[in-house]
Amino acid sequence: MDFLPNDPAILVSSVNMYLRDGEYDSLESLCNTFNRDPEELKAYLAENGYTYSTSQRQFRPTGAVE
């Protein structure tokens, strides 16, 4: 994939897959590769019902128990 998708559900799935499969060791390194600001990505997904869990290295639905 040459870009990160804009659809929130597909974006969350893609980002979580990259982090889970070990292609990137952090959200910041993933964002650097795709020229995205990590804070803007977190804000966009927060607006769409997702929160980033640093301990689990993944986006989860807002309110989900860690």
Side-chain angles (χ1 to χ4, degrees):
M1 184 179 301
D2 295 330
F3 62 92
L4 290 176
N6 289 323
D7 179 88
I10 298 171
L11 177 59
V12 165
S13 178
S14 299
V15 169
N16 285 347
M17 177 193 66
Y18 282 131
L19 293 172
R20 178 192 67 233
D21 292 349
E23 291 189 45
Y24 298 94
D25 61 353
S26 69
L27 180 62
E28 289 74 19
S29 65
L30 184 149
C31 287
N32 281 338
T33 299
F34 290 101
N35 296 317
R36 299 285 293 264
D37 179 271
E39 296 307 315
E40 287 180 12
L41 183 65
K42 287 180 190 178
Y44 174 69
L45 289 174
E47 291 171 8
N48 289 282
Y50 297 96
T51 304
Y52 186 69
S53 169
T54 305
S55 63
Q56 293 181 332
R57 291 183 352 136
Q58 66 177 273
F59 282 94
R60 303 190 38 108
T62 301
V65 178
E66 286 191 34

